């Protein structure tokens, strides 16, 4: 199962529409499961650095296979390792709100990153749009075994 360009564009357009409703000029990025860019868009008026931030959030959510907000405890508990980890890939690994793994039927399809609002607004845009489009938002913490079936 792969994330299509059409699906990526659908996600991005829905986030940009939500940004307009909030009165926020957002940038949105979607990457595939390997962290490779599918699409990025910067709304009129969005700050110049926001596309790069959105891409880092999307990349982190995809390659770490968890929403970026779930990386905070790890980054805080082992900052030296996390700082090194952040330099290993194509883009930085970030531990903040606004990056969510795109998952359907248990399969990781990619990552969504949003930048331009407050951290809470960026996160809410990710969650609202992915939920509305039928993607999964539940992720278990690292080290927690999957439930027995």
């Amino acid at each position: 199962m792969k994330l299509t360009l059409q699906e990526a564009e659908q996600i991005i357009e829905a986030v940009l529409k939500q940004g307009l409703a909030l009165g926020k000029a957002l940038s949105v990025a979607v990457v595939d499961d390997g962290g490779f860019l599918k699409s990025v868009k910067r709304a009129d008026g969005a700050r110049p650095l926001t596309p790069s931030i959105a891409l880092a959030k999307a990349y982190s959510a995809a390659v770490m296979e968890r929403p970026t907000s779930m990386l905070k405890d790890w980054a805080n508990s082992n900052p030296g390792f996390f700082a090194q980890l952040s330099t290993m890939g194509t883009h930085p690994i970030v531990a903040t709100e606004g990056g969510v793994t795109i998952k359907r039927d248990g399969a990781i399809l990619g990552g969504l990153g949003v930048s331009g609002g407050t951290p809470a607004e960026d996160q809410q845009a990710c969650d609202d749009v992915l939920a509305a489009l039928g993607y999964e938002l539940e992720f278990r913490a690292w080290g927690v075994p999957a439930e027995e079936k």
Side-chain angles (χ1 to χ4, degrees):
M1 185 179 321
K2 295 289 182 184
L3 184 70
T4 67
L5 180 59
Q6 181 179 359
E7 290 169 319
E9 292 291 336
Q10 180 184 35
I11 291 167
I12 287 173
E13 291 306 319
V15 171
L16 291 175
K17 184 176 178 181
Q18 187 164 341
L20 284 174
L22 290 170
K24 300 286 180 160
L26 303 176
S27 287
V28 188
V30 173
V31 300
D32 67 14
D33 60 342
F36 296 99
L37 183 63
K38 294 295 281 186
S39 186
V40 63
K41 290 192 179 177
R42 177 178 166 237
D44 293 339
R47 293 182 310 275
L49 193 56
T50 57
S52 296
I53 296 168
L55 180 54
K57 290 177 179 184
Y59 176 81
S60 299
V63 301
M64 299 305 291
E65 299 183 345
R66 298 291 187 282
T68 54
S69 61
M70 288 183 75
L71 303 177
K72 286 180 175 183
D73 288 342
W74 185 22
N76 292 335
S77 69
N78 199 343
F81 177 75
F82 198 85
Q84 291 302 310
L85 174 69
S86 183
T87 66
M88 292 179 186
T90 308
H91 301 284
I93 302 293
V94 296
T96 188
E97 285 84 7
V100 177
T101 309
I102 301 170
K103 183 170 86 164
R104 183 174 46 228
D105 299 326
I108 304 296
L109 304 178
L112 165 63
V114 176
S115 181
T118 66
E121 289 169 335
D122 291 350
Q123 184 67 43
Q124 195 65 53
C126 289
D127 291 343
D128 288 352
V129 166
L130 291 179
L133 294 175
Y135 296 96
E136 297 169 40
L137 294 176
E138 296 297 319
F139 297 88
R140 70 176 191 278
W142 277 286
V144 176
E147 292 183 31
E148 301 286 325
K149 291 190 177 194

